[in-house]
Amino acid sequence: MRKAVLVTGASSGVGLALCKRLLEEDHELHLCLACRNRSKAEAVREALLASRPLAEVSIVQVDVSDLQSVFRASRELKQRFQRLDYVYLNAGIMPNPQLNIKALFSGLFSRKVIHMFSTAEGLLTQEDQITADGLQEVFETNVFGHFILIQELAPLLCHSDSPSQLIWTSSRNARKSNFCLEDIQHSRGQEPYSSSKYAVDLLSVAVNRNFNSRGLYSSVVCPGTMVTNMTCGILPPFVWTLLMPIIWLMDLDEDTAEKFYQNLLELEKHVRATIQKRNHQS
């Protein structure tokens, strides 16, 4: 029986590279591309099948920054699959990064220069937006949309006889100092990407505490510093080429993780009630 693998954000960057590698390791997978843009996903599917014709590659359209899209995709996946063996929670955004020139020049002449370039800590400020669901866009895209997806797909993931795995794409930029339980959406901060990635790390810990007994295991991976469409939004590609040699030279609190998980559950209840009320009114 083919193993079923779902990858969010599969049409470019880390997600696309991951899909290629997965099929290199096992060309008989059923690989499901979970993408926001269906036309891009179709092009990726054709390219993957051209190199791995024995693979089975399907598409589900989902925008993790839109909860209606997440619910719709979840229903579709539950109709298609009896189980999912692996889910790579990779889709994410890093909005409008603005380079802090003052921090850059002061960091160049400090002991933290390698750390600064490998994590971007202090270098970037970002302006977040509010989604149609009334949530911070970075939080909903990088964290909450995936959280809802997990909750909805639990029947496909929780099998004690044959465990499934969640693998989150985290980041070197995940900083505890940028995360606050009293402001989990980072609505009052200027580094929502860092906050969201630390939240992902916490959520993975909490998922293990709450789901291991049901046969679901979670882990996070950091791909390191990579030149993707997100990093090129910060600095041009030739600058990253110069910085890479420098960059290459260079414990989570379980109680906090559990509190964060409970906060997400409360937010989920509120969001579901709001959506039900909106649907009833329409």
Side-chain angles (χ1 to χ4, degrees):
M1 184 176 178
R2 291 176 186 258
K3 289 186 177 180
V5 181
L6 178 72
V7 180
T8 69
S11 62
S12 63
V14 173
L16 177 55
L18 173 62
C19 290
K20 292 177 180 177
R21 182 59 182 271
L22 286 169
L23 292 180
E24 286 177 9
E25 297 293 325
D26 185 353
H27 59 268
E28 293 188 351
L29 286 176
H30 182 160
L31 178 61
C32 184
L33 313 177
C35 302
R36 180 175 56 182
N37 186 316
R38 190 169 190 92
S39 61
K40 286 180 66 175
E42 292 284 2
V44 168
R45 178 178 179 274
E46 290 179 11
L48 292 173
L49 288 174
S51 60
R52 304 288 171 181
L54 293 180
E56 185 175 352
V57 182
S58 61
I59 295 170
V60 62
Q61 188 170 10
V62 60
D63 180 352
V64 286
S65 68
D66 179 348
L67 296 183
Q68 294 279 28
S69 175
V70 174
F71 290 129
R72 183 169 55 251
S74 299
R75 289 193 296 270
E76 187 176 334
L77 289 167
K78 283 185 280 192
Q79 289 173 354
R80 284 198 220 166
F81 295 95
Q82 292 184 325
R83 64 168 290 129
L84 290 169
D85 296 283
Y86 300 92
V87 177
Y88 289 85
L89 302 160
N90 167 74
I93 59 170
M94 183 170 64
N96 302 321
Q98 301 293 322
L99 185 63
N100 187 329
I101 301 297
K102 183 178 179 181
L104 172 62
F105 280 100
S106 63
L108 284 174
F109 303 101
S110 72
R111 299 181 195 177
K112 297 182 178 180
V113 60
I114 295 176
H115 175 78
M116 179 181 69
F117 281 118
S118 63
T119 66
E121 183 180 0
L123 279 181
L124 303 176
T125 58
Q126 297 155 341
E127 293 184 7
D128 206 351
Q129 300 180 28
I130 303 296
T131 68
D133 295 310
L135 302 173
Q136 297 294 134
E137 185 178 30
V138 177
F139 168 78
E140 183 168 8
T141 305
N142 296 1
V143 186
F144 195 61
H146 282 128
F147 172 76
I148 294 296
L149 188 66
I150 295 167
Q151 299 290 103
E152 291 296 302
L153 296 181
L156 304 183
L157 295 167
C158 297
H159 300 275
S160 56
D161 58 323
S162 181
S164 296
Q165 291 189 32
L166 304 175
I167 302 95
W168 304 77
T169 299
S170 186
S171 171
R172 289 182 178 185
N173 196 231
R175 304 291 300 174
K176 183 178 181 179
S177 58
N178 288 324
F179 178 83
C180 175
L181 272 175
E182 286 69 43
D183 182 23
I184 61 174
Q185 297 190 50
H186 202 72
S187 58
R188 298 189 295 272
Q190 290 187 309
E191 296 194 47
Y193 181 78
S194 174
S195 174
S196 72
K197 289 303 179 179
Y198 188 79
V200 160
D201 295 351
L202 286 175
L203 184 51
S204 181
V205 173
V207 166
N208 282 325
R209 292 186 66 177
N210 287 273
F211 283 89
N212 280 180
S213 61
R214 297 167 62 184
L216 177 61
Y217 293 82
S218 179
S219 60
V220 294
V221 294
C222 173
T225 304
M226 303 179 69
V227 180
T228 67
N229 58 332
M230 291 209 305
T231 50
C232 286
I234 305 169
L235 295 171
F238 79 91
V239 177
W240 286 111
T241 302
L242 296 174
L243 290 177
M244 281 298 185
I246 299 174
I247 294 171
W248 286 334
L249 289 173
M250 318 184 313
D251 167 44
L252 293 173
D253 183 341
E254 286 196 3
D255 289 336
T256 302
E258 184 62 26
K259 289 176 183 176
F260 174 60
Y261 181 74
Q262 295 302 322
N263 285 352
L264 288 180
L265 289 176
E266 289 300 317
L267 181 59
E268 179 191 9
K269 291 178 184 177
H270 173 73
V271 168
R272 286 181 186 274
T274 301
I275 290 174
Q276 288 175 356
K277 182 178 179 181
R278 184 190 308 160
N279 291 340
H280 178 71
Q281 291 174 342
S282 61

